[in-house]
């Protein structure tokens, strides 16, 4: 019996750039000896359902799209209760996690990496009853502003338009939260928080630290306090742009489990998609919970 491959892709991701590459990608898989099942997604949740309901006979599950598509595939994988290696062809606008895995940006090269590469056991996050691959976040950076000048975006990168929202103290909303981790507890007013397992966040490499590993069983956590004056605000912005830690303006630590509780429901994003509004979240690191194909 031949090898079987399930290919799930988002035809609209990244300005539909997979459209002109699809036949060549499928040919690479066929030449490697795989019998193919191809499933384009039509709406949010399709990839979760397809992967969760897949047969155990598949030897490989491949997805193409943005980080949100990968999130759905991993969620479906975890919910199915059994593991199949995952191949990822990044096709979104930012592709943070693909960059963290050093996957090729060229889609055909990424397809070759899937069939010729090796399996890497990677951590994933559990967020209440949901799953995320590389980031759970709340606050100002999750509320996108489209008013930033395009030239600024080109110079500073994808995260520039998010930093734009921090230029005025009056624009910033904060949330009173109590955070418990590793027997410790902190409480403060936070304008932003991110729990990550990624080298790159929002297109910024190393913003979560210089020694990030994707299989060490811990998250990198960054919580930014509400600034009380423009100088503190500028220091925070400079620290983020320079990949430094402003100890007066933020908390930075690693943890395998967190409990975050606030006085009100707070909107969260999981891998760039809306993750619901919650007054309390419990986040756990599921160490080496998935197998993903990377370059040898």
């Amino acid at each position: 019996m031949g090898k079987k491959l399930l290919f799930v892709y988002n035809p609209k991701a990244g300005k539909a750039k997979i459209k002109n590459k699809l036949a060549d990608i499928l040919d690479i898989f066929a030449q490697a000896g795989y019998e193919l099942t191809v499933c384009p997604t039509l709406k949010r949740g399709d990839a979760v359902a397809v992967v969760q309901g897949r047969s155990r006979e598949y030897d490989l599950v491949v997805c193409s799209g943005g980080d949100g598509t990968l999130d759905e595939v991993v969620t479906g994988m975890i919910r199915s209760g059994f593991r199949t290696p995952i191949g990822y062809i990044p096709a979104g606008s930012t592709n943070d996690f693909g960059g963290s895995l050093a996957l090729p940006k060229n889609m055909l090269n990424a397809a070759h990496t899937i069939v010729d590469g090796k399996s890497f056991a990677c951590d994933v996050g559990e967020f209440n009853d949901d799953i995320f691959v590389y980031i759970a976040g709340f606050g100002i950076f999750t509320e996108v502003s489209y008013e930033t000048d395009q030239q600024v975006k080109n110079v500073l990168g994808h995260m520039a338009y998010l930093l734009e929202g921090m230029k005025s103290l009056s624009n910033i909303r904060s949330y009173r939260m109590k955070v418990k981790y590793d027997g410790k507890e902190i409480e403060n007013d936070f304008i932003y928080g991110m729990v990550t397992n990624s080298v790159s966040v929002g297109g910024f490499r190393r913003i979560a630290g210089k020694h990030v590993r994707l299989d060490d069983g811990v998250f990198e956590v960054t919580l930014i306090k509400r600034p009380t004056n423009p100088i503190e605000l500028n220091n925070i912005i400079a620290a983020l742009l320079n990949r430094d830690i402003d100890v007066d303006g933020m908390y930075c630590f690693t943890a395998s489990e967190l409990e975050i509780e606030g006085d009100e429901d707070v909107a969260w994003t999981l891998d760039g998609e809306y993750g619901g509004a919650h007054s309390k979240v419990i986040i756990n690191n599921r160490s080496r919970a998935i197998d993903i194909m990377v370059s040898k």
Side-chain angles (χ1 to χ4, degrees), residues 150-165:
Q150 182 62 47
Q151 189 172 5
V152 175
K153 294 182 189 179
N154 293 341
V155 172
L156 294 181
H158 180 75
M159 207 175 194
Y161 66 93
L162 300 174
L163 292 173
E164 183 76 11

Side-chain angles (χ1 to χ4, degrees), residues 252-268:
C252 296
F253 55 90
T254 60
S256 59
E257 180 179 346
L258 300 95
E259 179 182 302
I260 303 177
E261 188 171 7
D263 298 330
E264 60 182 310
D265 284 346
V266 177
W268 285 77

Side-chain angles (χ1 to χ4, degrees), residues 40-199:
T41 61
L42 301 177
K43 61 184 183 303
R44 185 176 179 183
D46 282 356
V48 176
V50 168
V51 175
Q52 184 174 350
R54 76 194 185 285
S55 166
R56 288 180 179 268
E57 295 179 0
Y58 285 107
D59 300 280
L60 186 60
V61 174
V62 178
C63 66
S64 182
D67 291 328
T69 302
L70 178 64
D71 176 287
E72 288 202 13
V73 168
V74 171
T75 299
M77 182 74 66
I78 297 293
R79 290 180 180 176
S80 74
F82 62 97
R83 290 168 71 151
T84 305
I86 297 172
Y88 181 36
I89 300 176
S93 56
T94 306
N95 302 315
D96 278 320
F97 200 66
S100 295
L101 293 168
L103 298 179
K105 294 182 179 180
N106 179 282
M107 300 179 78
L108 300 186
N109 289 342
H112 280 294
T113 293
I114 291 168
V115 297
D116 297 328
K118 65 179 181 179
S119 177
F120 170 67
C122 184
D123 299 345
V124 298
E126 190 173 60
F127 179 95
N128 288 351
D129 296 325
D130 214 333
I131 296 291
F132 66 95
V133 177
Y134 77 99
I135 183 170
F138 70 86
I140 187 169
F141 293 156
T142 61
E143 301 163 3
V144 178
S145 166
Y146 296 99
E147 298 177 357
T148 308
D149 183 84
Q150 182 62 47
Q151 189 172 5
V152 175
K153 294 182 189 179
N154 293 341
V155 172
L156 294 181
H158 180 75
M159 207 175 194
Y161 66 93
L162 300 174
L163 292 173
E164 183 76 11
M166 294 181 66
K167 285 189 174 179
S168 171
L169 283 171
S170 61
N171 292 341
I172 302 175
R173 183 179 179 185
S174 62
Y175 305 91
R176 190 72 183 179
M177 289 182 164
K178 184 183 297 182
V179 182
K180 299 178 182 178
Y181 69 99
D182 295 343
K184 302 175 183 178
E185 183 176 312
I186 57 177
E187 185 172 2
N188 215 311
D189 295 317
F190 299 110
I191 62 171
Y192 176 68
M194 64 179 181
V195 180
T196 66
N197 188 47
S198 180
V199 174

